[in-house]
Amino acid sequence: MTTPGPPPLTGIKVLEFAGLAPGPFAGMLLADAGASVIRIDRASDTRSLPTSDSLTRHKASIAVDLKSPHGTSFIKELVAQGADVLIDPFRPGVLEKLGLGPDVLLRINPRLIYGRLTGYRRDGKYANMAGHDINYIAVSGALSLLGRADDTPHPPTNILADFAGGGANLFQGILLALLARQTSGKGQVVEANMVDGSAYLATFTRFGLKSGMGARGRGRNLLDGGCPYYETYETKDGKYFSVGALEPQFFRELIKGLGLLDQGLEEKRFDFDEWPGMRALFKDTFKQKTRAEWEAIFDGTDACAAPVLDYDELENDTAREGDQRPSVTLRGTPCLAIKQRPEGQADPVMHGQGQGVAGDGYEGGTLAPGDGGDDMLEKWLGWKRGREYDVQKGAYVLTRGVSKL
């Protein structure tokens, strides 16, 4: 097997201002792909305890007093010395007021990718309002599509706006800007927001409202809980099984496994009036066996029926596919490992390069302000504490030997 090359973002330097989940998630995606990420934490007179941020994989931290000219000068110097990416997770105008807006920093370093992430649109009616994931998907329209027919709309925790529409979308924008920089030689501002990100993710479902695919109202359609053969069912032992037998050949395999052949179900698949009765029949049938018994029936078939697994069993049952891996496999330049493993064991292409991190992808690590910062600054710039910079009252400040922008 050919030895894999370095991770794809090796050599890319990222400054990530500490923030809530979406910003750190974008930074973690960059770090997992090999970028060198420094989180900029708030300074404290004493060494602070780790923050609540658990998305710290492969990152380091420095603590900076952003309200002090010493702190803003430190950030500007890092930008001037060749930072490639900056992640701004704050509400509009915060970094501008500190003198660290894109106009200032792009003059200092025209190659900088200035990534900005907000919840609401910067130019919309909600721009100056506080909000959370549930609010962003609410005004995007996506929340109106989620939930059962006879209940209120339900958010899928904070996956859709914070992480998919927010952090992952910003990550994609940063990659596009890095690619564009190879041609133009210039950086740019990348603006992502969770309203547009969530709305974009809902493109197919939104189109379905006009095409008939989702025209029957929330929770009454083929893919949103209305259809009995695209549904989850409780088993005899209180666990659950998922069913997604949409195509006729898959549906036939499903009812064969359920022992329901020759009951006319195949002819009734698209008769909406028959769906409630079919759902009741499937519900009663799945309750007759344990999840393990249903697995024995459906494993290896094309019934599109699979167990609903929880993370506890994925983490602890070696027979399950619970070993956490990078989100995508790059055959020549794989990302970093996110599951700790002894060197030489497991395929570094499929599982990621390197030793991985503690927690095996199931438990996030903590990062106190200043953790790993000295080492990272030396790797980035050859700086050493007491020479180019020092730490005063918990804050990193420049000393002689650098330009002090």
Side-chain angles (χ1 to χ4, degrees), residues 241 250 253 256 294-307:
F241 226 79
F250 300 154
E253 287 295 314
K256 176 183 176 182
W294 287 120
E295 285 188 78
I297 290 172
F298 288 117
D299 276 3
T301 75
D302 283 343
C304 297

Side-chain angles (χ1 to χ4, degrees), residues 142-381:
L143 184 56
S144 70
L145 306 171
L146 306 175
R148 294 292 183 178
D150 299 321
D151 203 348
T152 59
H154 286 286
T157 67
N158 64 332
I159 295 172
L160 184 52
D162 279 354
F163 295 103
N169 200 40
L170 178 62
F171 171 67
Q172 174 181 259
I174 290 170
L175 295 183
L176 292 173
L178 288 169
L179 185 62
R181 192 177 72 175
Q182 292 184 353
T183 300
S184 68
K186 296 180 180 180
Q188 61 181 296
V189 177
V190 176
E191 293 185 348
N193 72 77
M194 297 173 220
V195 172
D196 289 336
S198 301
Y200 199 91
L201 289 166
T203 297
F204 176 79
T205 310
R206 186 172 65 252
F207 287 173
L209 299 175
K210 300 289 187 180
S211 69
M213 187 76 157
R216 301 186 68 242
R218 182 182 67 253
R220 295 182 173 89
N221 304 286
L222 192 66
L223 302 178
D224 62 2
C227 175
Y229 44 92
Y230 198 89
E231 180 61 287
T232 58
Y233 292 97
E234 186 176 0
T235 57
K236 185 178 181 180
D237 52 347
K239 298 181 180 180
Y240 298 93
F241 226 79
S242 70
V243 169
L246 298 177
E247 291 79 5
Q249 68 274 25
F250 300 154
F251 184 82
R252 182 171 178 79
E253 287 295 314
L254 172 67
I255 59 175
K256 176 183 176 182
L258 292 173
L260 299 175
L261 283 173
D262 303 322
Q263 295 193 27
L265 295 175
E266 293 172 270
E267 292 75 22
K268 300 175 182 178
R269 285 194 311 126
F270 293 116
D271 187 339
F272 298 140
D273 293 334
E274 296 290 340
W275 279 7
M278 190 181 299
R279 184 189 308 276
L281 177 60
F282 287 176
K283 181 178 179 180
D284 290 342
T285 303
F286 270 104
K287 287 280 285 186
Q288 294 172 14
K289 290 181 173 63
T290 66
R291 195 188 72 181
E293 290 174 320
W294 287 120
E295 285 188 78
I297 290 172
F298 288 117
D299 276 3
T301 75
D302 283 343
C304 297
V308 177
L309 305 175
D310 60 50
Y311 281 118
D312 179 69
E313 61 186 315
L314 282 168
E315 182 178 6
N316 296 296
D317 184 351
T318 56
R320 301 293 183 184
E321 296 178 351
D323 55 308
Q324 296 301 309
R325 304 178 183 182
S327 62
V328 65
T329 299
L330 299 178
R331 290 289 174 180
T333 58
C335 295
L336 296 175
I338 62 176
K339 172 183 170 60
Q340 199 169 45
R341 60 182 175 82
E343 194 65 42
Q345 292 187 17
D347 181 358
V349 174
M350 294 296 298
H351 295 80
Q353 302 186 71
Q355 282 291 104
V357 294
D360 288 343
Y362 285 95
E363 183 178 352
T366 57
L367 191 65
D371 278 356
D374 290 356
D375 289 340
M376 193 71 84
L377 289 174
E378 185 169 3
K379 289 177 182 177
W380 273 30
L381 307 169

